[in-house]
Amino acid sequence: MEIGSEKLHSDIEIALSAKMKPIKEIANSIGIKEDELDQYGKYKAKINSTVMKRLEHEQDGNLILVTSINPTKAGEGKSTVTVGLGDALQKLGHRTIIALREPSLGPVMGLKGGAAGGGYSQVLPMDEINLHFTGDIHAITTANNALAAFIDNHIHQGNELGIDPRRIVWKRSIDMNDRVLRNITVGLGGPSNGVPREDGFDITVASEIMAVLCLADGLQDIKKRLSKMVIGYTWGQRPVTVADLGVEGALTLILKEAMKPNLVQTIAHTPAFVHGGPFANIAHGCNSVAATKTALKLADYVVTEAGFGADLGAEKFLHIKARGAGISPKAVVIVATVRALKMHGGALKEELTREDLSALKTGFENVKKHAETISAFGLPFIIALNRFADDSPLELEAFGKLCLDSGISYALTEVWEKGGGGGIELAEGILKLIEDNNRSFEPLYDLSDSLEVKIVKVAKTVYGASDVDFTPAARQQMKKFEQEGWGSLPVCIAKTQYSLSDNPVLLGRPTGFKLTVRELKPKIGAGFIVALTGDIMTMPGLPKSPAALRMDVDESENAVGLF
Amino acid sequence: MEIGSEKLHSDIEIALSAKMKPIKEIANSIGIKEDELDQYGKYKAKINSTVMKRLEHEQDGNLILVTSINPTKAGEGKSTVTVGLGDALQKLGHRTIIALREPSLGPVMGLKGGAAGGGYSQVLPMDEINLHFTGDIHAITTANNALAAFIDNHIHQGNELGIDPRRIVWKRSIDMNDRVLRNITVGLGGPSNGVPREDGFDITVASEIMAVLCLADGLQDIKKRLSKMVIGYTWGQRPVTVADLGVEGALTLILKEAMKPNLVQTIAHTPAFVHGGPFANIAHGCNSVAATKTALKLADYVVTEAGFGADLGAEKFLHIKARGAGISPKAVVIVATVRALKMHGGALKEELTREDLSALKTGFENVKKHAETISAFGLPFIIALNRFADDSPLELEAFGKLCLDSGISYALTEVWEKGGGGGIELAEGILKLIEDNNRSFEPLYDLSDSLEVKIVKVAKTVYGASDVDFTPAARQQMKKFEQEGWGSLPVCIAKTQYSLSDNPVLLGRPTGFKLTVRELKPKIGAGFIVALTGDIMTMPGLPKSPAALRMDVDESENAVGLF
């Protein structure tokens, strides 16, 4: 697919043939002591919270945020570029840590087959990271479903709190693509089986607990956040929280180990923190605050990524994660590919191998919009043009010209095929930007703005919408939420990742569109208000021929079929 | 509760105050090399399959099986005695390994609060073992639910195999006590959400995959067993297997690490293998073959336990696990308590602190029946009388007299309070039995017997039933299963654990009762046919005040409220 796909090596083959260093050595290289580490096998470890305490007064390193254009079916390789950039910085002699999200098993079994970078820019052990890793997502699933069981048990045992079974907003979760669990009825079969009601499962990475784990600052903060989560409403329509049920202690206990950042390595032995993986639409879509903050204490450069395009991931990274945690990127990378831009310019997926300068030019508007957004936040950026095998020389030249004409700097990356060596130009570009920049980002809205103003500001400045339509239900909710005292939280707009607008087929740079906000959801534990635009899928389905059909274990107990 | 409960230390307090040795040292003490070990933190490890290969030709140590009378609400402390006996053998200078089941998180959150022995006879780290441990049960949940998703996806995508959605026998699973998930409907809300059907969740330890993992001999055997699991029937009522769906490779991959035995230690640093935890009614209820066989290669004495009373756990341990794996216990411990025997003799739970020699005498018949059963298998045994604080001297004396009159040997244990020191008499008794015994157990039925004959033999010899009633449905199933070629599998009778009969309120030693077999279930991957008698609960519920309400994490990140 990307450069190197002409060779007959799949990601798993490259990953399994790579020679890892013992994780103790990797930890040691960034100054983590052995008693601050809990090993999970020889090549994975969890980092104890004692590290942060020890380094509390150290200066932070430089944070680099990797984001992208709106994703297309052509693939952009954002994680691959993130890993490759980290390896390139390490190769240039800089103390570097990469901070990534954990992959969700459901999509691995479905379409993706794997998600830990690609080619020679991967984090290892790729097979274990894609399967159970250190059990974080399982712990979140468990906490999520324990809470669901406590809710239904409370109702079954007399419902002292007066929870309205029709107004429970806490859903069950599972780390699997399982469409039949989207809408279910539970509690059937008579009184001993509880009180019947409508329910449904989300994929675990969409659980508020995943967002809580990613945004919390330590175990006591997790507990505080968990206790504030709204699980539903009483018959009198007052919110019911986890604290009302009294189970925040048990949920915290379930999450105790999952809270600790995981340490692994890239093929080039660059340390990588892979921790947390919230959805980038219903949640904020970036790795954990704990991992990012710990990495900043341990390295001069920390490379991290945010989910989907800059309109979703980077916006939320900045407004939700970075503002909440008191950190700021020093510079931003926007990943783009010729293939994806041609799709944004109207080319069909089947025609992407054909040279199409006109589509490229039209599609380039998508990069430009994201570049403007990052500028609006006051941050310097560089475009990483992630080269694919069938990009033509003329297309590459045309891209360079488009950048030059727009005053945008870019670097060509070939990290899939060459690892860090294919990202040197990008690394040098980033180092230059950081050297010249001493500012933090400027939020596009204030927390004291009303929920409506916050949403409108993001819609206009980041998406390029002409205006926002709120449904009557959404307006009523905004009013109610502000009455509940939730008005000062940031907003987390759930929107299709494929378009800057809320219509997935409007590619490139749509203009003159109105964003429609249908519904709001309070995520008080996570600390944001979700605003839903369009139908947001929180439980994917499996394709006709799932990747699982090609998975196996060979005679030497190695994984087969992850790619 | 048990001796020592007068002191103000809970199990978790004792566990947290114990000083563990690094797991590398424990491994080293039984000759496991560092590269054969995958550490999960400092005090837990998985043992690679290379150990078994290296020791293939070594002689096996002596296996000791711990079973008990029919359990009552008074508590027997079977796991506590198992751990205490192991510590006692170690204390006497014998190379000993304890082999236990993994606790299920659902009951921990519900009633139990913890399950890794008790008092000074515990396995550590108790908190982690009771929570996620090394993720085995999460892996089983994941494999179980991946299979469920593959089934529903197959139907949604065209149903090439012609699976009848009304005849799917594969249920979803979750490691939580959650009664509202027993009976559900899935696939609601229109065509994009799959095909609607009735479904339900079992607790994970009731999943056939748990039984497969526990009975399989290596990863390739797991794959073969998984491929044979029956997930439902076609419109033409022919069985559909995992092999038909082609996902046995993916499921094996999900279970790759879970297959490896886990090593931990007791408070006295005796090595303990804690691995696998199938239900002892719907499944066979003992720890994994992989763990037991590996332990037998590494130690002179291996102490293991089977679930519930000897009528359920020991019978299945012998007929299913031991026969399949080609191993045999050298001697058996039957755990009894004065309290529990008084309940078997008609005393009420509220009156157990009151001396009641008459109830004790009547209840003693329960011990005698289990003793006869173990004798019928041709195995020597000893009763462990697990002493509780309010056992009166007269009661203890009466118990001794009852044993003497029946020609049964027994030993008093005080392992809750004293650890291994409280189990020396029991250990010496067991050593004597093993010294005098060179036989393997004799099964009570042959695999070539018909399913009906197998069930009748167990019912009469082990339960003491006068006869067995098969419902017409059960008779039809027996015929069908034998036509399918499943007739030569052992039977796994699902019966209440509280009574020797299929009526939970018939305590003591009921006679003249008929066992009713209602239904049969093929567990072809596990390798047995389940015969259901009465209503067998495969998804427990939470109590009004779940143990979870008292759980927390303290400022030092230690677990609170596990007991």
Side-chain angles (χ1 to χ4, degrees), chain B residues 312-351:
Chain B
L312 287 176
E315 185 272 321
K316 289 166 187 165
F317 181 92
L318 296 169
H319 280 143
I320 297 175
K321 174 177 170 176
R323 171 152 52 185
I327 55 177
S328 177
K330 285 281 167 58
V332 176
V333 175
I334 304 172
V335 178
T337 64
V338 165
R339 292 158 58 84
L341 290 178
K342 287 194 289 187
M343 283 197 81
H344 275 294
L348 298 175
K349 201 189 167 195
E350 301 69 44
E351 297 172 346

mmCIF file of all heavy atoms in Angstrom, chain B residues 312-351:
data_model
loop_
_atom_site.group_PDB
_atom_site.id
_atom_site.type_symbol
_atom_site.label_atom_id
_atom_site.label_comp_id
_atom_site.label_asym_id
_atom_site.label_seq_id
_atom_site.Cartn_x
_atom_site.Cartn_y
_atom_site.Cartn_z
ATOM 1 N N LEU B 312 -19.520 -33.542 42.859
ATOM 2 C CA LEU B 312 -19.375 -32.779 41.616
ATOM 3 C C LEU B 312 -17.903 -32.673 41.212
ATOM 4 O O LEU B 312 -17.479 -33.203 40.189
ATOM 5 C CB LEU B 312 -19.970 -31.370 41.753
ATOM 6 C CG LEU B 312 -21.502 -31.292 41.790
ATOM 7 C CD1 LEU B 312 -21.948 -29.858 42.022
ATOM 8 C CD2 LEU B 312 -22.100 -31.815 40.495
ATOM 9 N N GLY B 313 -17.104 -31.990 42.037
ATOM 10 C CA GLY B 313 -15.732 -31.670 41.647
ATOM 11 C C GLY B 313 -14.827 -32.872 41.502
ATOM 12 O O GLY B 313 -14.173 -33.048 40.470
ATOM 13 N N ALA B 314 -14.782 -33.724 42.535
ATOM 14 C CA ALA B 314 -13.838 -34.845 42.484
ATOM 15 C C ALA B 314 -14.233 -35.825 41.383
ATOM 16 O O ALA B 314 -13.379 -36.321 40.649
ATOM 17 C CB ALA B 314 -13.778 -35.544 43.835
ATOM 18 N N GLU B 315 -15.536 -36.070 41.260
ATOM 19 C CA GLU B 315 -15.998 -37.002 40.213
ATOM 20 C C GLU B 315 -15.549 -36.512 38.841
ATOM 21 O O GLU B 315 -15.047 -37.282 38.020
ATOM 22 C CB GLU B 315 -17.526 -37.127 40.293
ATOM 23 C CG GLU B 315 -18.140 -38.157 39.344
ATOM 24 C CD GLU B 315 -18.471 -37.601 37.959
ATOM 25 O OE1 GLU B 315 -18.933 -36.450 37.857
ATOM 26 O OE2 GLU B 315 -18.247 -38.329 36.972
ATOM 27 N N LYS B 316 -15.715 -35.209 38.601
ATOM 28 C CA LYS B 316 -15.332 -34.672 37.288
ATOM 29 C C LYS B 316 -13.821 -34.571 37.150
ATOM 30 O O LYS B 316 -13.269 -34.756 36.069
ATOM 31 C CB LYS B 316 -15.996 -33.307 37.082
ATOM 32 C CG LYS B 316 -17.494 -33.452 36.863
ATOM 33 C CD LYS B 316 -18.215 -32.121 37.001
ATOM 34 C CE LYS B 316 -19.722 -32.361 36.936
ATOM 35 N NZ LYS B 316 -20.489 -31.210 37.400
ATOM 36 N N PHE B 317 -13.159 -34.243 38.251
ATOM 37 C CA PHE B 317 -11.695 -34.217 38.219
ATOM 38 C C PHE B 317 -11.179 -35.556 37.717
ATOM 39 O O PHE B 317 -10.297 -35.618 36.859
ATOM 40 C CB PHE B 317 -11.139 -33.926 39.615
ATOM 41 C CG PHE B 317 -9.641 -33.861 39.666
ATOM 42 C CD1 PHE B 317 -8.974 -32.653 39.495
ATOM 43 C CD2 PHE B 317 -8.868 -35.012 39.845
ATOM 44 C CE1 PHE B 317 -7.595 -32.595 39.517
ATOM 45 C CE2 PHE B 317 -7.488 -34.965 39.864
ATOM 46 C CZ PHE B 317 -6.841 -33.754 39.699
ATOM 47 N N LEU B 318 -11.747 -36.637 38.243
ATOM 48 C CA LEU B 318 -11.248 -37.974 37.916
ATOM 49 C C LEU B 318 -11.728 -38.420 36.536
ATOM 50 O O LEU B 318 -10.915 -38.769 35.671
ATOM 51 C CB LEU B 318 -11.675 -38.960 39.001
ATOM 52 C CG LEU B 318 -11.058 -38.662 40.393
ATOM 53 C CD1 LEU B 318 -11.723 -39.483 41.475
ATOM 54 C CD2 LEU B 318 -9.543 -38.897 40.378
ATOM 55 N N HIS B 319 -13.039 -38.375 36.307
ATOM 56 C CA HIS B 319 -13.576 -38.906 35.044
ATOM 57 C C HIS B 319 -13.236 -38.052 33.838
ATOM 58 O O HIS B 319 -13.124 -38.556 32.728
ATOM 59 C CB HIS B 319 -15.096 -39.064 35.148
ATOM 60 C CG HIS B 319 -15.531 -40.305 35.871
ATOM 61 N ND1 HIS B 319 -16.629 -40.340 36.695
ATOM 62 C CD2 HIS B 319 -15.003 -41.558 35.898
ATOM 63 C CE1 HIS B 319 -16.770 -41.567 37.191
ATOM 64 N NE2 HIS B 319 -15.792 -42.319 36.736
ATOM 65 N N ILE B 320 -13.139 -36.751 34.030
ATOM 66 C CA ILE B 320 -12.922 -35.875 32.858
ATOM 67 C C ILE B 320 -11.465 -35.436 32.774
ATOM 68 O O ILE B 320 -10.767 -35.746 31.812
ATOM 69 C CB ILE B 320 -13.887 -34.661 32.899
ATOM 70 C CG1 ILE B 320 -15.344 -35.154 32.819
ATOM 71 C CG2 ILE B 320 -13.581 -33.708 31.742
ATOM 72 C CD1 ILE B 320 -16.391 -34.073 32.979
ATOM 73 N N LYS B 321 -10.994 -34.706 33.802
ATOM 74 C CA LYS B 321 -9.646 -34.146 33.692
ATOM 75 C C LYS B 321 -8.557 -35.219 33.774
ATOM 76 O O LYS B 321 -7.714 -35.330 32.887
ATOM 77 C CB LYS B 321 -9.418 -33.096 34.795
ATOM 78 C CG LYS B 321 -7.989 -32.574 34.847
ATOM 79 C CD LYS B 321 -7.803 -31.491 35.907
ATOM 80 C CE LYS B 321 -6.320 -31.172 36.084
ATOM 81 N NZ LYS B 321 -6.078 -30.072 37.034
ATOM 82 N N ALA B 322 -8.575 -36.007 34.854
ATOM 83 C CA ALA B 322 -7.467 -36.942 35.084
ATOM 84 C C ALA B 322 -7.438 -38.032 34.014
ATOM 85 O O ALA B 322 -6.382 -38.348 33.459
ATOM 86 C CB ALA B 322 -7.586 -37.546 36.485
ATOM 87 N N ARG B 323 -8.614 -38.577 33.692
ATOM 88 C CA ARG B 323 -8.643 -39.616 32.655
ATOM 89 C C ARG B 323 -8.146 -39.051 31.325
ATOM 90 O O ARG B 323 -7.328 -39.666 30.653
ATOM 91 C CB ARG B 323 -10.057 -40.179 32.509
ATOM 92 C CG ARG B 323 -10.203 -41.109 31.296
ATOM 93 C CD ARG B 323 -11.271 -42.172 31.439
ATOM 94 N NE ARG B 323 -12.570 -41.663 31.819
ATOM 95 C CZ ARG B 323 -13.614 -42.447 32.097
ATOM 96 N NH1 ARG B 323 -13.502 -43.764 32.025
ATOM 97 N NH2 ARG B 323 -14.770 -41.924 32.424
ATOM 98 N N GLY B 324 -8.618 -37.852 30.958
ATOM 99 C CA GLY B 324 -8.204 -37.253 29.686
ATOM 100 C C GLY B 324 -6.719 -36.954 29.637
ATOM 101 O O GLY B 324 -6.071 -37.108 28.601
ATOM 102 N N ALA B 325 -6.176 -36.533 30.776
ATOM 103 C CA ALA B 325 -4.769 -36.098 30.789
ATOM 104 C C ALA B 325 -3.818 -37.237 31.138
ATOM 105 O O ALA B 325 -2.603 -37.062 31.074
ATOM 106 C CB ALA B 325 -4.605 -34.959 31.795
ATOM 107 N N GLY B 326 -4.371 -38.392 31.507
ATOM 108 C CA GLY B 326 -3.513 -39.514 31.858
ATOM 109 C C GLY B 326 -2.750 -39.316 33.157
ATOM 110 O O GLY B 326 -1.580 -39.667 33.272
ATOM 111 N N ILE B 327 -3.404 -38.726 34.137
ATOM 112 C CA ILE B 327 -2.780 -38.537 35.453
ATOM 113 C C ILE B 327 -3.699 -39.133 36.515
ATOM 114 O O ILE B 327 -4.856 -39.445 36.232
ATOM 115 C CB ILE B 327 -2.520 -37.044 35.775
ATOM 116 C CG1 ILE B 327 -3.817 -36.237 35.651
ATOM 117 C CG2 ILE B 327 -1.439 -36.484 34.853
ATOM 118 C CD1 ILE B 327 -3.680 -34.768 36.010
ATOM 119 N N SER B 328 -3.188 -39.274 37.728
ATOM 120 C CA SER B 328 -4.033 -39.761 38.830
ATOM 121 C C SER B 328 -3.540 -39.201 40.150
ATOM 122 O O SER B 328 -2.334 -39.132 40.386
ATOM 123 C CB SER B 328 -4.009 -41.292 38.894
ATOM 124 O OG SER B 328 -4.774 -41.729 40.017
ATOM 125 N N PRO B 329 -4.476 -38.802 41.022
ATOM 126 C CA PRO B 329 -4.042 -38.428 42.371
ATOM 127 C C PRO B 329 -3.535 -39.676 43.095
ATOM 128 O O PRO B 329 -4.011 -40.780 42.822
ATOM 129 C CB PRO B 329 -5.317 -37.920 43.048
ATOM 130 C CG PRO B 329 -6.395 -37.947 42.036
ATOM 131 C CD PRO B 329 -5.943 -38.750 40.868
ATOM 132 N N LYS B 330 -2.607 -39.465 44.001
ATOM 133 C CA LYS B 330 -2.132 -40.576 44.831
ATOM 134 C C LYS B 330 -2.963 -40.676 46.099
ATOM 135 O O LYS B 330 -3.041 -41.735 46.712
ATOM 136 C CB LYS B 330 -0.652 -40.361 45.196
ATOM 137 C CG LYS B 330 0.307 -40.633 44.053
ATOM 138 C CD LYS B 330 0.548 -42.117 43.867
ATOM 139 C CE LYS B 330 1.237 -42.465 42.561
ATOM 140 N NZ LYS B 330 2.528 -41.825 42.387
ATOM 141 N N ALA B 331 -3.541 -39.541 46.518
ATOM 142 C CA ALA B 331 -4.361 -39.535 47.719
ATOM 143 C C ALA B 331 -5.286 -38.325 47.687
ATOM 144 O O ALA B 331 -5.031 -37.362 46.957
ATOM 145 C CB ALA B 331 -3.477 -39.479 48.960
ATOM 146 N N VAL B 332 -6.356 -38.405 48.479
ATOM 147 C CA VAL B 332 -7.404 -37.378 48.446
ATOM 148 C C VAL B 332 -7.640 -36.837 49.853
ATOM 149 O O VAL B 332 -7.600 -37.586 50.827
ATOM 150 C CB VAL B 332 -8.718 -37.981 47.887
ATOM 151 C CG1 VAL B 332 -9.851 -36.963 47.927
ATOM 152 C CG2 VAL B 332 -8.505 -38.497 46.470
ATOM 153 N N VAL B 333 -7.855 -35.526 49.947
ATOM 154 C CA VAL B 333 -8.274 -34.887 51.197
ATOM 155 C C VAL B 333 -9.742 -34.498 51.050
ATOM 156 O O VAL B 333 -10.114 -33.896 50.042
ATOM 157 C CB VAL B 333 -7.441 -33.621 51.484
ATOM 158 C CG1 VAL B 333 -7.975 -32.895 52.714
ATOM 159 C CG2 VAL B 333 -5.969 -33.957 51.628
ATOM 160 N N ILE B 334 -10.560 -34.846 52.026
ATOM 161 C CA ILE B 334 -11.958 -34.386 52.029
ATOM 162 C C ILE B 334 -12.108 -33.371 53.155
ATOM 163 O O ILE B 334 -11.954 -33.709 54.327
ATOM 164 C CB ILE B 334 -12.944 -35.552 52.233
ATOM 165 C CG1 ILE B 334 -12.735 -36.627 51.163
ATOM 166 C CG2 ILE B 334 -14.387 -35.047 52.204
ATOM 167 C CD1 ILE B 334 -13.549 -37.909 51.399
ATOM 168 N N VAL B 335 -12.394 -32.131 52.812
ATOM 169 C CA VAL B 335 -12.502 -31.078 53.817
ATOM 170 C C VAL B 335 -13.897 -31.070 54.422
ATOM 171 O O VAL B 335 -14.893 -31.129 53.700
ATOM 172 C CB VAL B 335 -12.180 -29.692 53.207
ATOM 173 C CG1 VAL B 335 -12.349 -28.596 54.262
ATOM 174 C CG2 VAL B 335 -10.777 -29.672 52.617
ATOM 175 N N ALA B 336 -13.960 -31.003 55.746
ATOM 176 C CA ALA B 336 -15.247 -30.901 56.433
ATOM 177 C C ALA B 336 -15.098 -29.925 57.590
ATOM 178 O O ALA B 336 -13.980 -29.638 58.029
ATOM 179 C CB ALA B 336 -15.675 -32.264 56.957
ATOM 180 N N THR B 337 -16.205 -29.371 58.046
ATOM 181 C CA THR B 337 -16.185 -28.540 59.248
ATOM 182 C C THR B 337 -17.339 -28.970 60.148
ATOM 183 O O THR B 337 -18.355 -29.493 59.664
ATOM 184 C CB THR B 337 -16.367 -27.038 58.930
ATOM 185 O OG1 THR B 337 -17.669 -26.852 58.369
ATOM 186 C CG2 THR B 337 -15.323 -26.530 57.961
ATOM 187 N N VAL B 338 -17.168 -28.739 61.407
ATOM 188 C CA VAL B 338 -18.241 -29.040 62.358
ATOM 189 C C VAL B 338 -19.485 -28.223 62.007
ATOM 190 O O VAL B 338 -20.607 -28.735 61.964
ATOM 191 C CB VAL B 338 -17.759 -28.737 63.802
ATOM 192 C CG1 VAL B 338 -18.937 -28.691 64.774
ATOM 193 C CG2 VAL B 338 -16.728 -29.773 64.235
ATOM 194 N N ARG B 339 -19.279 -26.943 61.727
ATOM 195 C CA ARG B 339 -20.389 -26.044 61.387
ATOM 196 C C ARG B 339 -21.215 -26.592 60.223
ATOM 197 O O ARG B 339 -22.442 -26.660 60.275
ATOM 198 C CB ARG B 339 -19.858 -24.679 60.958
ATOM 199 C CG ARG B 339 -19.203 -23.861 62.029
ATOM 200 C CD ARG B 339 -18.255 -22.831 61.401
ATOM 201 N NE ARG B 339 -18.933 -21.942 60.473
ATOM 202 C CZ ARG B 339 -19.598 -20.846 60.823
ATOM 203 N NH1 ARG B 339 -19.669 -20.506 62.112
ATOM 204 N NH2 ARG B 339 -20.180 -20.093 59.926
ATOM 205 N N ALA B 340 -20.504 -26.923 59.144
ATOM 206 C CA ALA B 340 -21.204 -27.357 57.943
ATOM 207 C C ALA B 340 -21.920 -28.680 58.187
ATOM 208 O O ALA B 340 -23.052 -28.885 57.731
ATOM 209 C CB ALA B 340 -20.209 -27.499 56.789
ATOM 210 N N LEU B 341 -21.285 -29.565 58.938
ATOM 211 C CA LEU B 341 -21.936 -30.857 59.202
ATOM 212 C C LEU B 341 -23.184 -30.669 60.051
ATOM 213 O O LEU B 341 -24.182 -31.367 59.877
ATOM 214 C CB LEU B 341 -20.946 -31.819 59.864
ATOM 215 C CG LEU B 341 -19.834 -32.301 58.911
ATOM 216 C CD1 LEU B 341 -18.862 -33.206 59.631
ATOM 217 C CD2 LEU B 341 -20.431 -33.013 57.684
ATOM 218 N N LYS B 342 -23.136 -29.701 60.980
ATOM 219 C CA LYS B 342 -24.350 -29.416 61.760
ATOM 220 C C LYS B 342 -25.473 -28.940 60.836
ATOM 221 O O LYS B 342 -26.638 -29.308 61.004
ATOM 222 C CB LYS B 342 -24.048 -28.392 62.860
ATOM 223 C CG LYS B 342 -23.225 -28.982 64.003
ATOM 224 C CD LYS B 342 -23.197 -28.098 65.244
ATOM 225 C CE LYS B 342 -22.377 -26.849 65.038
ATOM 226 N NZ LYS B 342 -22.215 -26.075 66.291
ATOM 227 N N MET B 343 -25.132 -28.136 59.833
ATOM 228 C CA MET B 343 -26.162 -27.718 58.869
ATOM 229 C C MET B 343 -26.690 -28.931 58.109
ATOM 230 O O MET B 343 -27.885 -29.054 57.856
ATOM 231 C CB MET B 343 -25.615 -26.683 57.895
ATOM 232 C CG MET B 343 -25.494 -25.291 58.489
ATOM 233 S SD MET B 343 -25.322 -23.980 57.227
ATOM 234 C CE MET B 343 -27.027 -23.729 56.725
ATOM 235 N N HIS B 344 -25.783 -29.814 57.709
ATOM 236 C CA HIS B 344 -26.235 -31.031 57.028
ATOM 237 C C HIS B 344 -27.123 -31.875 57.934
ATOM 238 O O HIS B 344 -27.960 -32.638 57.463
ATOM 239 C CB HIS B 344 -25.026 -31.853 56.542
ATOM 240 C CG HIS B 344 -24.515 -31.408 55.208
ATOM 241 N ND1 HIS B 344 -25.245 -31.532 54.050
ATOM 242 C CD2 HIS B 344 -23.337 -30.837 54.843
ATOM 243 C CE1 HIS B 344 -24.549 -31.063 53.022
ATOM 244 N NE2 HIS B 344 -23.389 -30.616 53.478
ATOM 245 N N GLY B 345 -26.935 -31.723 59.241
ATOM 246 C CA GLY B 345 -27.748 -32.482 60.187
ATOM 247 C C GLY B 345 -28.993 -31.735 60.634
ATOM 248 O O GLY B 345 -29.688 -32.159 61.567
ATOM 249 N N GLY B 346 -29.280 -30.592 60.006
ATOM 250 C CA GLY B 346 -30.544 -29.914 60.261
ATOM 251 C C GLY B 346 -30.451 -28.630 61.055
ATOM 252 O O GLY B 346 -31.459 -27.943 61.244
ATOM 253 N N ALA B 347 -29.250 -28.245 61.532
ATOM 254 C CA ALA B 347 -29.135 -26.988 62.284
ATOM 255 C C ALA B 347 -29.314 -25.795 61.338
ATOM 256 O O ALA B 347 -28.966 -25.866 60.161
ATOM 257 C CB ALA B 347 -27.778 -26.918 62.968
ATOM 258 N N LEU B 348 -29.878 -24.705 61.876
ATOM 259 C CA LEU B 348 -30.051 -23.503 61.067
ATOM 260 C C LEU B 348 -28.771 -22.681 61.101
ATOM 261 O O LEU B 348 -27.984 -22.756 62.052
ATOM 262 C CB LEU B 348 -31.209 -22.665 61.613
ATOM 263 C CG LEU B 348 -32.578 -23.360 61.583
ATOM 264 C CD1 LEU B 348 -33.624 -22.470 62.263
ATOM 265 C CD2 LEU B 348 -32.988 -23.678 60.144
ATOM 266 N N LYS B 349 -28.579 -21.850 60.076
ATOM 267 C CA LYS B 349 -27.353 -21.072 59.984
ATOM 268 C C LYS B 349 -27.179 -20.165 61.197
ATOM 269 O O LYS B 349 -26.067 -19.952 61.682
ATOM 270 C CB LYS B 349 -27.360 -20.240 58.695
ATOM 271 C CG LYS B 349 -25.945 -19.829 58.307
ATOM 272 C CD LYS B 349 -25.859 -18.844 57.172
ATOM 273 C CE LYS B 349 -24.434 -18.306 57.133
ATOM 274 N NZ LYS B 349 -24.292 -17.113 56.329
ATOM 275 N N GLU B 350 -28.304 -19.651 61.712
ATOM 276 C CA GLU B 350 -28.258 -18.718 62.832
ATOM 277 C C GLU B 350 -27.849 -19.411 64.143
ATOM 278 O O GLU B 350 -27.480 -18.760 65.117
ATOM 279 C CB GLU B 350 -29.623 -18.050 63.042
ATOM 280 C CG GLU B 350 -30.138 -17.269 61.843
ATOM 281 C CD GLU B 350 -30.517 -18.147 60.657
ATOM 282 O OE1 GLU B 350 -31.178 -19.187 60.869
ATOM 283 O OE2 GLU B 350 -30.117 -17.829 59.520
ATOM 284 N N GLU B 351 -27.972 -20.750 64.158
ATOM 285 C CA GLU B 351 -27.739 -21.489 65.403
ATOM 286 C C GLU B 351 -26.404 -22.199 65.422
ATOM 287 O O GLU B 351 -26.154 -23.041 66.289
ATOM 288 C CB GLU B 351 -28.855 -22.531 65.589
ATOM 289 C CG GLU B 351 -30.239 -21.921 65.732
ATOM 290 C CD GLU B 351 -31.334 -22.991 65.720
ATOM 291 O OE1 GLU B 351 -31.045 -24.141 65.346
ATOM 292 O OE2 GLU B 351 -32.464 -22.650 66.089
#
